[in-house]
Amino acid sequence: MKRYIIIFEKTATGFGAYAPDIPGVGVTGTTKEEAETLIYEAIKFHFEGLELEGLPLPESISEAEMLLIPA
């Protein structure tokens, strides 16, 4: 099982989501929950296509950390 970082961004109309290590896969939704469901489905579909073509899954190389900045 591979692990990938997913970035969720609040927009004026909802949420966007993408995985930095999976180029070309991004979604938008009206809620964060919808974006989460859609990004999972998009990644699954993308990986199925890669496997059908005999291509390797992308490596997960990104790291994320929450930094606390005093205000």
Side-chain angles (χ1 to χ4, degrees), residues 9-11 15 19 21-24 27-30 32 34 38 42-43 45 48 50 52 61 64-66:
E9 296 178 332
K10 179 84 171 105
T11 69
F15 284 84
D21 295 325
I22 308 172
V27 301
T28 60
T30 55
K32 185 178 178 189
E34 181 182 20
L38 292 172
I43 291 170
F45 181 74
E48 288 170 355
L50 291 175
L52 285 173
I61 58 174
E65 188 171 325
M66 185 72 80

Side-chain angles (χ1 to χ4, degrees), residues 18-68:
Y18 69 96
D21 295 325
I22 308 172
V25 177
V27 301
T28 60
T30 55
T31 65
K32 185 178 178 189
E33 292 77 19
E34 181 182 20
E36 185 175 354
T37 298
L38 292 172
I39 194 68
Y40 175 80
E41 291 172 358
I43 291 170
K44 184 177 173 187
F45 181 74
H46 183 67
F47 283 5
E48 288 170 355
L50 291 175
E51 289 175 351
L52 285 173
E53 295 292 327
L55 299 171
L57 299 181
E59 290 298 317
S60 179
I61 58 174
S62 295
E63 294 183 24
E65 188 171 325
M66 185 72 80
L67 298 178
L68 299 176

Side-chain angles (χ1 to χ4, degrees), residues 5-16:
I5 296 198
I6 306 298
I7 306 296
F8 292 94
E9 296 178 332
K10 179 84 171 105
T11 69
T13 58
F15 284 84

